[in-house]
Amino acid sequence: MSINVTLFAQMLVFGLLVWFTMSFVWPLIRGAMEEREQTIADGLAAAEKGQKDLEQAGVEAGKIVEEARDQARDILGKANSRANEIVDTARSEGEAEKRKRLDSAQSELEVEINRARDELRQQVAVLAVAGAEKVLSREIDEAAHRDLLDQLAADL
Amino acid sequence: MEDTHEGPASATDYIVHHLTNLDTEHALHTELANPFWNLHWDSIFYSVILGIIFVGSFFAAARKATAGLPGGWQNFVELIVEFVDTQVKDSFHGSSKLIAPLALTIFCWIFLMNFMDLVPVDLLPALGLMVGIEYMKVVPTTDLNITFGMSITVFLLMIFYSIKIKGASGFAKELLLHPFGKWMIPFNFLLKLVEEFAKPVSLALRLFGNLYAGELIFILIALFTLSAGVNSLGENLSSVGTITAFIIQVILGLAWAIFHILIITLQAFIFMMLTIVYLSMAHEEH
């Protein structure tokens, strides 16, 4: 067992191995590991953010649904009152129309009645005159008694 | 020096054979003028091969590394990288591009070199013998050159960072003025010198000692059947004694191997941890 040139050969080999490891092995492996660590960290952060976004979205969706429900209730209420209004209006209009028709029919009837009465009166006067003429044709001067007869007809 | 290898003549031969490196002298059957150049070919071969396996497999994962779903191998590599990175971040508070890859290299490479201890002690040397390689130590970390090669590199980095962070004067002050002030400069310096040199020495010797002892115990366990066989040379090899020795060897080998899984991982971890701690100390101002 003696120390000799082997020692220096070993030092040289050792130096070369360390140099090779330092230049070509260590940086590549550490680089890949660090890159992966970064990727994983990013992924975790993204997942957390996604979770938070989801929660936020849920809250917002609830709010929107609540609003929509309120709006629907509003619209329904308005529609109901509008319908009532329409029905009321229609009813009052119909009643007014009915009354108008009734009135006009009544007045027409009255006019007809008056006219019929007038006609009847006239005809009664004519008849009376004709009858009286026939009865009195001989003894009464038509011209002399005309006023009297007209007055009678008007009193009928 | 043996010229030919005829298998273990005795238990001692067997052990010594297993603890002999394939150095230049043994490989070429010559005597070098300067023993300094007696390179341990087996240690360097296995250490380089295992280093290439480490960087190759990790580079394969790094090249195809995606930030998306990682595949099986990338997952495993990331597990180790994450583990090392955590250790570095816990102990080292400066910013350095070097420390973490250095720690990763130390941990994986030392683990792989230690792992060779779990390969059956005779397997690779026996295969080597078939192609004419007479000596082979397959665990690089049982070679002091290998462990000191690493700890001295770490030591040089410690000095480099000390001077880089604190400046030459700051480093000198640290060496001379701590812990007892300017009236005790020689004593301070001596103390600091011991303290600093103890770091690489303890790093290297701890790793070497654990693995060397572990390897030795594997060899001793292997001797059960081997010595039974050696003792009963010429007798019936399937004698009751041999069978008993075989069973004991299997049980002990299994127990020690399982225990050793812990040791090789622990030693790789300790070397990495102490490197991080020493370098972070070098970065700190006093």
Side-chain angles (χ1 to χ4, degrees), chain A residues 2 4-6 10 33 36, chain B residues 36 38 40 47 78 82 145:
Chain A
S2 53
N4 57 28
V5 69
T6 314
Q10 174 70 4
M33 288 167 78
R36 184 177 319 119
Chain B
F36 175 76
N38 196 8
H40 292 172
S47 117
E78 281 186 10
E82 183 77 51
N145 288 290

Side-chain angles (χ1 to χ4, degrees), chain B:
Chain B
M1 202 184 89
E2 301 168 63
D3 283 330
T4 52
H5 188 78
E6 306 270 352
S10 70
T12 317
D13 279 356
Y14 175 77
I15 296 171
V16 168
H17 176 253
H18 259 289
L19 296 178
T20 307
N21 279 105
L22 177 73
D23 49 27
T24 313
E25 289 182 348
H26 280 103
L28 302 178
H29 304 291
T30 53
E31 197 98 21
L32 290 174
N34 185 351
F36 175 76
W37 296 108
N38 196 8
L39 186 70
H40 292 172
W41 292 96
D42 47 0
S43 297
I44 283 297
F45 173 76
Y46 282 112
S47 117
V48 167
I49 288 290
L50 293 168
I52 288 172
I53 288 175
F54 158 62
V55 290
S57 59
F58 271 56
F59 181 60
R63 205 161 39 97
K64 284 185 280 178
T66 65
L69 194 66
W73 178 241
Q74 189 192 337
N75 221 337
F76 179 72
V77 168
E78 281 186 10
L79 192 76
I80 294 176
V81 166
E82 183 77 51
F83 165 71
V84 172
D85 202 42
T86 310
Q87 302 301 331
V88 171
K89 279 187 179 137
D90 283 352
S91 325
F92 179 77
H93 300 296
S95 70
S96 168
K97 277 193 167 63
L98 174 74
I99 306 276
L102 175 75
L104 177 70
T105 310
I106 286 175
F107 181 66
C108 295
W109 197 25
I110 290 184
F111 176 80
L112 287 176
M113 290 196 284
N114 290 351
F115 188 82
M116 295 304 288
D117 217 359
L118 293 179
V119 177
V121 277
D122 277 314
L123 180 64
L124 292 170
L127 290 176
L129 208 56
M130 282 180 194
V131 296
I133 298 170
E134 289 166 17
Y135 293 93
M136 187 189 286
K137 267 177 85 177
V138 296
V139 190
T141 40
T142 57
D143 186 340
L144 271 177
N145 288 290
I146 298 297
T147 58
F148 266 110
M150 299 181 82
S151 72
I152 288 172
T153 311
V154 170
F155 182 60
L156 293 179
L157 280 173
M158 281 158 57
I159 293 172
F160 170 75
Y161 277 115
S162 283
I163 294 174
K164 187 185 166 199
I165 301 292
K166 300 158 194 162
S169 64
F171 184 52
K173 263 186 216 158
E174 197 180 285
L175 284 182
L176 300 177
L177 298 180
H178 289 277
F180 294 123
K182 60 182 172 178
W183 301 112
M184 300 278 273
I185 281 178
F187 184 66
N188 288 343
F189 184 63
L190 199 68
L191 210 64
K192 197 75 184 172
L193 221 57
V194 171
E195 187 190 328
E196 289 303 312
F197 277 110
K199 287 175 182 173
V201 171
S202 67
L203 263 187
L205 287 184
R206 180 185 302 108
L207 181 59
F208 165 76
N210 273 281
L211 270 292
Y212 193 82
E215 176 80 345
L216 201 59
I217 289 182
F218 274 121
I219 294 168
L220 292 177
I221 290 170
L223 271 174
F224 266 98
T225 43
L226 221 56
S227 60
V230 168
N231 292 339
S232 60
L233 274 177
E235 296 171 23
N236 188 0
L237 278 178
S238 61
S239 66
V240 176
T242 313
I243 290 173
T244 315
F246 179 79
I247 292 170
I248 293 173
Q249 182 190 342
V250 167
I251 292 170
L252 285 179
L254 180 68
W256 185 242
I258 291 171
F259 180 58
H260 218 57
I261 293 173
L262 176 69
I263 290 183
I264 62 173
T265 318
L266 197 65
Q267 286 307 319
F269 177 71
I270 288 173
F271 201 110
M272 174 191 83
M273 240 9 252
L274 286 178
T275 301
I276 298 169
V277 169
Y278 290 159
L279 285 175
S280 93
M281 281 163 76
H283 275 72
E284 273 162 18
E285 305 256 11
H286 288 287

